Amino acid sequence: MKIARFSREGAIAFGILDEDEREWVVLAGDPMYAGFDTTGERVKVTDAPLLAPVLPRSKVIGIGRNYREHAEEMGADAPEAPLMFLKPNTAVIGPNDAIVLPPQSERVEHEGELVVVIGRIGKDIAEESALDYVFGYTVGNDVTARDLQRADGQWARGKGFDTFCPLGPVIETEFDAASATIETRVNGEQRQSGRISDLIHGIPHLIAYASSVWTLLPGDVIMTGTPAGVGPLVAGDRVEVTVSGIGTLSNPVRAKA
Ligand code: MN
C-alpha cells in the first residue's frame, strides 16, 4: 500500500493509492495515528501536490558509510558498528521542493537512500522484533555539504541545512528490501546504483542499535546509508532518487536567493 501526504484545498490530507494508480483514496486522518478509515472522497493524483510523506517528530537518524563501495570512495573503512548521526527535522522537504545550496559551502553532494519510517514507540528493541516497529519505507536524499562535513569533523552543519533532507514521494508499507534496487540520477544521468541487500548493517540491526541509544517515536525515520557514486549538485540541476517498489523522489537544486 502506498500512502501519500498532500495538500488539498489549503489543508493537509493523507491518501492511499488506488489500484489503477490514478487516484488517492482520502483518509480521515494521519494513518500512523488514526488508522485507515476513509472519508469516501477521491482525489486525482494529478490534482494533489505531494508533501513529504512524514514529518519526523523528533529525529532523522542517518547512517554513515553503510555500503562497502561508498566507504571506499570516501577513503575510509566501513564502520564495525553503525555510524549514526542526526539531521534536524527542519531539513525535511517534500517531492519537487528545491534543495537550496548554502553560500557557506562550495561542494554540496547528493546521497540517495532508502528510508525506514518508524510507526511505534520503542526503546531497546530486539533485532528479532525490529520490523514490528516499521510503519513503512520511503526514499530520501541525505544532502551533504561535503567540504563543511570534513572541515567540522562532525556532521551537524554539513548535513543539517534547511532543505538537506528531501523525503518521498510516498510511504510503501509492503516493501521487499531483499530484492530492491536504488538509483540516483542528476539531470537524467545515472550517478548512483546499488542493491539494498548490500547494506552492511541491515534494517533490523539499525533499528535495534538506534533504539539502544534513543527512544524511537512514531514518525522518526532512519536513513539507511548511500551506495557508491556520490557527487556534486549545482544550481539548475534536478536530482532523482528511485527505490524500486516505492517510487522516485525528484527535487530541483537552486542557489540561495
Ligand atoms: Mn548518508
Side-chain angles (χ1 to χ4, degrees):
M1 180 167 52
K2 288 187 165 66
I3 302 166
R5 182 168 161 269
F6 50 87
S7 60
R8 180 167 178 254
E9 293 162 4
I12 291 170
F14 293 82
I16 50 180
L17 192 59
D18 192 20
E19 271 175 32
D20 67 6
E21 307 205 339
R22 290 185 181 172
E23 288 178 320
W24 298 109
V25 177
V26 179
L27 297 173
D30 182 341
M32 192 175 288
Y33 307 102
F36 291 91
D37 288 344
T38 62
T39 63
E41 299 158 286
R42 285 166 172 267
V43 179
K44 282 199 183 111
V45 165
T46 48
D47 290 346
L50 294 182
L51 306 169
V54 58
L55 273 189
R57 265 187 161 180
S58 75
K59 51 200 166 295
V60 174
I61 299 166
I63 306 295
R65 304 198 301 263
N66 200 23
Y67 288 83
R68 213 160 293 282
E69 287 175 13
H70 171 62
E72 282 168 16
E73 75 178 346
M74 292 287 104
D77 290 335
E80 267 182 44
L83 174 57
M84 298 195 297
F85 59 93
L86 297 174
K87 287 165 88 85
N89 59 6
T90 44
V92 172
I93 57 173
N96 290 311
D97 290 338
I99 297 165
V100 178
L101 302 173
Q104 299 95 316
S105 173
E106 290 176 359
R107 180 80 182 193
V108 173
E109 297 191 345
H110 55 81
E111 294 190 1
E113 309 199 3
L114 171 70
V115 177
V116 180
V117 181
I118 298 296
R120 288 170 52 194
I121 188 168
K123 172 70 180 161
D124 295 326
I125 297 167
E127 214 169 301
E128 298 71 45
S129 57
L131 296 181
D132 297 345
Y133 291 80
V134 175
F135 181 73
Y137 298 83
T138 190
V139 183
N141 191 341
D142 175 21
V143 180
T144 301
R146 196 68 70 197
D147 49 353
L148 305 185
Q149 180 191 25
R150 292 205 165 108
D152 288 358
Q154 52 96 342
W155 305 357
R157 184 169 66 132
K159 287 177 176 285
F161 283 94
D162 289 359
T163 76
F164 272 25
C165 189
L167 295 176
V170 296
I171 294 173
E172 173 56 72
T173 56
E174 288 141 65
F175 176 68
D176 178 17
S179 63
T181 57
I182 181 165
E183 182 183 77
T184 305
R185 295 175 303 281
V186 176
N187 306 326
E189 190 177 304
Q190 187 187 81
R191 292 270 188 90
Q192 299 185 272
S193 173
R195 302 191 156 275
I196 303 301
S197 56
D198 286 338
L199 286 173
I200 296 170
H201 302 289
I203 292 161
H205 185 55
L206 295 178
I207 293 168
Y209 191 83
S211 78
S212 75
V213 179
W214 303 298
T215 299
L216 302 184
L217 298 182
D220 285 350
V221 301
I222 303 176
M223 306 188 82
T224 56
T226 200
V230 298
L233 295 172
V234 299
D237 283 347
R238 178 164 283 269
V239 56
E240 295 171 297
V241 185
T242 300
V243 175
S244 61
I246 303 176
T248 297
L249 170 65
S250 177
N251 296 91
V253 180
R254 67 168 174 82
K256 191 170 178 184

